[in-house]
Amino acid sequence: MKQRAMINIRGIVQGVGFRPFVYRLAHSYRLTGWVCNTSGSVEIDVEGDECALNQFIDSLRMQAPPRARIDNLEASFHPLIGYDAFLIHKSQAKENEYQLISPDIATCEDCKREIFSAGDRRYNYPFTNCTNCGPRFTIIKDIPYDRPKTTMNGFVMCPDCQSEYSDPLDRRFHAQPNACPVCGPQVWLVDKDGVRIEADDPLAKASELLRAGNILALKGLGGFHLACDATDEQAVRRLRRRKKRPSKPLAVMIGTIAKIKEHCYVSREEEDLLSSPVAPIVLLNWRKGKSGIAPLIAPQQHDLGVMLPYTPLHHLLLAKADIPLMMTSGNLSGEPLAKDNEEALVKLAAIADYFLLHDRDIHVRCDDSVCVVDRGTRVIRRARGYAPDPIVLPFQAGEILACGPELKNTVCLTKKEHAFISQHIGDMGSESALAHLKDTINHYESLFRITPQIIACDMHPEYVATKYARQLASKNNLPCISVQHHHAHIVSGMIDNELEGKVIGVAFDGTGYGTDGAIWGGEFLIADWVGFERVGQLEYIPMPGGEAAIRRPYRMALSYLYTLFGNEVSLDGLPLQQVEPIERRVIARQVQQGINSPLTSSAGRLFDTVAALSGVREEIDYEGQAAIELEAVAARDGQDARSYPFFIDREAQTRVVRLKSTISSVLHDVRAGVLPATISLRFHRTMAAVIANMCELIAQERDLERVVLSGGVLQNRLLAHLTGAAIKSKGLEVFSHHRVPCNDGGISLGQAVIAHFASSKTGG
Ligand code: ZN
Ligand code: ZN
Ligand code: FE
């Protein structure tokens, strides 16, 4: 018997070879009808033998292409029409409907084979791609995903490409960015004055220049990279000086897994992640001493951030250069990634010696993602390969825009069950960063047909993103909901772990504006999606000079000493003796009289303090540096099992962690000549015990048993491990971040969710 079905499929079903797959499947079951992309979904109208039709529907789910993801499949049965063939219809745009968009996908094995096969028509061609790989998000201007709505619009396919594109049995059937050397984008090389350097093979010439120690700006997938020979200490030093980035770790791109193993230890899981379609930067255990990579790439670190080539351009360049390449974002410090040729030539002229340019425009800036494998994949920076994949919410959200925090900013837009966390936007310290934030919001709004009805922002009145959110809300007459920073952290962690109801939230963090106007960051909350109660904190200590205390951890260390032990405290035997007496007196007065010294309970500042006291780091040049180096220096042999004392005080409704005995013991160890490695380990263990003891007290009192760990300080894996184990030993359950960063990159998600419930609570 014959039947006809109308099938509607939602999920990631565009730009991943879904229609050709449906076409082939329909033919194999001898069905007739059509398939079509709409802006909301893929629609199929199909008829034929009942049994074949049912198998067809099953196979849609079971055999979907590797990059496709079906979230919802609905089929309904209708009277026969009598189609005589199966066809792919032109895409239809539907008012207000939206469609998920595939992130950019690293080069597939088939395309890789072609670019390295002499004789293939795409041999050596840096823009090779197919339905299984290639640029997506970064070239898409609008939906439905079709070539005219991408930056490939200007390139007219040659007859060969056109015939691949039109052949349902070809790997490039409807591959929107399809291109070849005859008809597609081209690459060329210029010097820093923009003068073209003639070369038969610009990639070969570029790799020669790299091998000779030059710094190359190269246009990639989501923006420019700055590259140099990662084994050339001089080149790396030059890049650091020109980029004004003295010590923040840089990433390395290495041609193959086998070559990565010459420099790092790589587990099976890490290998899978590196070579996955996301192809992120993965933090690997660096075989220092064995590796020829310049130590200056990541000073004071055990880990090295490594990625494989993820576009044909990178594959070819790496193969020709045959050296590991240092790769860092092509931007000036504090600014977003340069993405256009002209922009790069202007902005990067003082950094790069040469530029490798091409004429496929980048529509959306997107940095490399950064991950670590630690009991599963944990995303530290969520960008290329992840964005704009949404997080699926356990409820139907309104249309909300959350503008995110000040540092490591992302924004989040919600619609129905989807939370679209933007790619990493970065620190909001410049005009161009704000422009990037606005562009990103506009792009997500238009791609996903979102018209925000509620705006969410951080509670900090001075944050650039907060000010923008408030302007936007008042201009459009929308409610603007201020969300406490650490509440947002915990809810972000809850959504990441699909938790509902009340949890104990531990937010160990750098900086977050508190409801009392103080700077929070060592917080114990009872939180749910709607609200929170602060039930514990690290004790308040003044931050002498505010921001200055963040940049100079020794100031924070002095503040701890003056606050806890008085101004007469002896600095004998401490690295703090080197601080000028005048500055010490100023700090003492600031602390005593509270001049320009906001109070903080920040765990980040406490880690800074111990780093400064133990001589690990007194001044920093990137965020979190002192704490990061304190973690790196910690002894890994596990011989010493001691920790420092601390007290938990009860003050009205909250518990306060008192650190006088802790700091006093640290001072004792420093003066006794105990190694920083040992002090650091003892301190980490102490913090784990602080968290576990607090959680135990709160859990007993409030009858809760789930603990969510969040905040940038918990990116510290030593702390996370020790803390997780300590909490479990109290019989409690622990949850930490995986898909969403535990640092401020995850804040926007928490803001959006909290704003949704705040507005439904007030009936708005
Ligand atoms: Zn491919
Ligand atoms: Zn072509
Ligand atoms: Fe934070």
Side-chain angles (χ1 to χ4, degrees):
M1 210 183 91
K2 276 191 149 196
Q3 253 193 350
R4 168 170 167 244
M6 298 274 282
I7 302 164
N8 183 289
I9 303 176
R10 298 185 62 95
I12 297 191
V13 286
Q14 289 189 17
V16 289
F18 202 82
R19 285 177 302 169
F21 154 72
V22 173
Y23 178 93
R24 285 191 293 268
L25 203 61
H27 277 260
S28 75
Y29 287 111
R30 298 172 193 279
L31 303 173
T32 57
W34 51 263
V35 57
C36 162
N37 274 349
T38 70
S39 38
S41 54
V42 164
E43 284 177 18
I44 306 169
D45 187 349
V46 63
E47 61 184 27
D49 174 70
E50 185 183 354
C51 181
L53 189 60
N54 285 327
Q55 284 173 4
F56 170 79
I57 295 173
D58 284 346
S59 307
L60 284 174
R61 275 190 190 282
M62 307 297 291
Q63 296 170 25
R67 300 305 297 148
R69 195 189 74 215
I70 296 178
D71 291 336
N72 190 36
L73 186 154
E74 279 169 23
S76 54
F77 294 89
H78 299 268
L80 293 174
I81 286 191
Y83 293 117
D84 49 17
F86 194 90
L87 300 171
I88 295 179
H89 279 180
K90 236 176 130 51
S91 301
Q92 296 172 354
K94 281 193 182 172
E95 190 72 17
N96 235 333
E97 286 274 328
Y98 69 111
Q99 166 72 54
L100 299 186
I101 287 174
S102 166
D104 299 300
I105 310 166
T107 310
C108 73
E109 290 302 318
D110 290 330
C111 287
K112 221 186 291 177
R113 204 168 309 119
E114 290 171 347
I115 60 171
F116 287 118
S117 306
D120 191 282
R121 72 187 198 91
R122 288 190 175 81
Y123 177 60
N124 211 19
Y125 184 57
F127 302 95
T128 301
N129 66 82
C130 72
T131 40
N132 300 320
C133 76
R136 296 288 187 276
F137 179 53
T138 51
I139 62 164
I140 294 176
K141 296 176 171 177
D142 198 6
I143 52 167
Y145 172 57
D146 274 327
R147 190 168 173 115
K149 290 183 173 164
T150 71
T151 61
M152 284 299 292
N153 185 26
F155 297 94
V156 178
M157 275 186 271
C158 69
D160 285 341
C161 286
Q162 186 63 53
S163 80
E164 293 164 342
Y165 184 88
S166 320
D167 176 1
L169 299 176
D170 194 281
R171 195 171 102 241
R172 297 196 164 90
F173 178 64
H174 283 224
Q176 305 305 341
N178 189 24
C180 79
V182 175
C183 64
Q186 301 296 329
V187 60
W188 68 92
L189 192 62
V190 301
D191 67 14
K192 61 170 176 288
D193 301 315
V195 178
R196 196 154 174 150
I197 293 171
E198 289 311 323
D200 291 340
D201 182 349
L203 289 168
K205 182 71 189 164
S207 61
E208 258 172 57
L209 293 166
L210 285 165
R211 292 182 66 98
N214 291 288
I215 295 170
L216 179 74
L218 70 131
K219 188 177 182 181
L221 196 55
F224 275 77
H225 273 129
L226 290 158
C228 72
D229 178 353
T231 63
D232 181 342
E233 185 91 18
Q234 294 307 321
V236 177
R237 178 165 298 125
R238 205 155 47 237
L239 176 114
R240 284 200 175 278
R241 198 178 54 236
R242 291 184 191 168
K243 213 187 163 191
K244 299 188 177 62
R245 190 169 159 170
S247 47
K248 190 171 180 183
L250 302 165
V252 177
M253 185 181 272
I254 301 179
T256 62
I257 291 280
K259 285 185 178 155
I260 293 176
K261 287 180 176 169
E262 293 171 16
H263 303 281
C264 297
Y265 299 99
V266 187
S267 71
R268 183 73 235 175
E269 275 171 289
E270 288 165 338
E271 187 172 332
D272 289 347
L273 180 59
L274 285 161
S275 43
S276 72
V278 176
I281 294 171
V282 181
L283 300 183
L284 299 174
N285 189 349
W286 193 357
R287 298 174 66 179
K288 273 188 162 171
K290 296 258 174 56
S291 154
I293 287 171
L296 196 58
I297 292 274
Q300 318 297 327
Q301 302 296 307
H302 295 297
D303 289 340
L304 184 65
V306 182
M307 62 184 148
L308 282 171
Y310 54 85
T311 70
L313 188 149
H314 296 133
H315 278 290
L316 292 165
L317 187 66
L318 265 289
K320 289 170 204 283
D322 199 27
I323 43 173
L325 292 181
M326 184 288 313
M327 285 273 203
T328 185
S329 342
N331 58 352
L332 298 177
S333 139
E335 291 201 5
L337 215 52
K339 75 174 177 68
D340 301 322
N341 294 343
E342 294 310 311
E343 178 193 9
L345 282 168
V346 173
K347 290 195 168 167
L348 305 179
I351 305 177
D353 301 310
Y354 296 93
F355 290 76
L356 189 61
L357 305 175
H358 64 69
D359 53 0
R360 187 179 71 198
D361 287 343
I362 297 169
H363 187 65
V364 177
R365 285 188 173 82
C366 201
D367 286 86
D368 294 315
S369 291
V370 181
C371 297
V372 63
V373 175
D374 180 19
R375 295 158 295 155
T377 298
R378 291 171 197 269
V379 180
I380 294 171
R381 181 164 80 192
R382 196 175 178 279
R384 175 182 53 78
Y386 291 108
D389 236 3
I391 300 291
V392 177
L393 297 169
F395 55 88
Q396 294 284 312
E399 301 193 13
I400 298 170
L401 162 65
C403 290
E406 183 77 355
L407 300 178
K408 298 188 172 72
N409 181 285
T410 60
V411 296
C412 179
L413 291 105
T414 61
K415 180 166 179 164
K416 298 182 181 168
E417 74 276 27
H418 291 135
F420 298 95
I421 306 175
S422 73
Q423 72 275 28
H424 166 84
I425 295 174
D427 297 351
M428 299 307 301
S430 64
E431 278 297 312
S432 48
L434 179 60
H436 182 20
L437 176 125
K438 292 179 190 173
D439 287 350
T440 306
I441 292 171
N442 289 337
H443 193 52
Y444 277 75
E445 285 179 354
S446 88
L447 276 186
F448 301 113
R449 312 294 196 250
I450 298 175
T451 311
Q453 301 303 311
I454 299 162
I455 315 270
C457 64
D458 197 276
M459 217 169 240
H460 199 305
E462 296 306 319
Y463 280 0
V464 172
T466 301
K467 289 180 179 168
Y468 177 66
R470 289 184 177 163
Q471 270 170 26
L472 201 64
S474 80
K475 195 173 89 190
N476 296 296
N477 204 14
L478 297 173
C480 186
I481 294 173
S482 300
V483 177
Q484 203 283 321
H485 189 88
H486 302 104
H487 186 207
H489 266 306
I490 299 304
V491 170
S492 162
M494 290 177 73
I495 297 294
D496 196 347
N497 288 284
E498 298 170 335
L499 300 180
E500 207 178 329
K502 281 196 187 332
V503 300
I504 301 171
V506 179
F508 264 40
D509 201 28
T511 297
Y513 195 80
T515 50
D516 57 359
I519 297 170
W520 293 9
E523 310 309 315
F524 297 83
L525 312 178
I526 291 178
D528 59 19
W529 296 343
V530 183
F532 75 97
E533 185 188 339
R534 189 192 200 196
V535 290
Q537 63 166 103
L538 299 183
E539 70 177 300
Y540 278 138
I541 302 287
M543 272 168 71
E547 283 290 310
I550 298 178
R551 285 194 307 276
R552 299 188 212 131
Y554 68 82
R555 293 180 70 94
M556 203 58 220
L558 284 167
S559 176
Y560 261 93
L561 299 193
Y562 296 143
T563 307
L564 299 176
F565 307 105
N567 287 356
E568 301 313 312
V569 63
S570 160
L571 302 184
D572 285 351
L574 302 179
L576 299 177
Q577 272 181 303
Q578 283 153 26
V579 181
E580 294 288 338
I582 299 177
E583 190 176 6
R584 292 200 308 238
R585 278 199 295 278
V586 171
I587 293 171
R589 198 165 53 242
Q590 283 183 318
V591 168
Q592 202 172 30
Q593 300 171 9
I595 308 162
N596 188 21
S597 297
L599 292 177
T600 189
S601 51
S602 163
R605 299 296 81 76
L606 175 58
F607 274 76
D608 286 355
T609 293
V610 175
L613 290 176
S614 56
V616 169
R617 170 66 53 187
E618 281 102 34
E619 291 188 62
I620 63 165
D621 58 69
Y622 65 89
E623 197 216 349
Q625 182 177 9
I628 288 166
E629 292 183 4
L630 186 66
E631 176 194 2
V633 84
R636 307 279 155 154
D637 52 24
Q639 294 293 327
D640 176 275
R642 288 171 56 185
S643 62
Y644 299 125
F646 58 89
F647 289 104
I648 296 175
D649 246 11
R650 180 90 200 210
E651 275 184 14
Q653 287 312 302
T654 59
R655 292 188 161 88
V656 179
V657 181
R658 298 284 172 201
L659 297 157
K660 188 170 177 176
S661 56
T662 317
I663 298 294
S664 163
S665 308
V666 171
L667 294 181
H668 181 270
D669 271 359
V670 174
R671 288 186 176 119
V674 175
L675 290 174
T678 308
I679 296 176
S680 172
L681 183 59
R682 289 176 182 174
F683 174 68
H684 276 81
R685 251 198 221 103
T686 310
M687 284 300 107
V690 163
I691 294 173
N693 287 13
M694 281 289 256
C695 289
E696 186 182 31
L697 291 169
I698 297 162
Q700 281 167 357
E701 190 172 283
R702 307 300 282 266
D703 198 22
L704 294 168
E705 56 191 22
R706 298 176 302 173
V707 178
V708 173
L709 300 176
S710 192
V713 170
L714 281 154
Q715 212 169 288
N716 177 329
R717 274 178 278 158
L718 176 61
L719 178 68
H721 282 181
L722 292 169
T723 303
I727 294 175
K728 278 186 202 145
S729 77
K730 308 282 187 194
L732 303 172
E733 264 187 289
V734 193
F735 299 89
S736 52
H737 285 255
H738 287 273
R739 299 174 294 164
V740 182
C742 71
N743 59 47
D744 283 6
I747 284 289
S748 61
L749 173 65
Q751 289 176 345
V753 171
I754 294 163
H756 169 80
F757 286 99
S759 68
S760 51
K761 199 172 56 174
T762 57

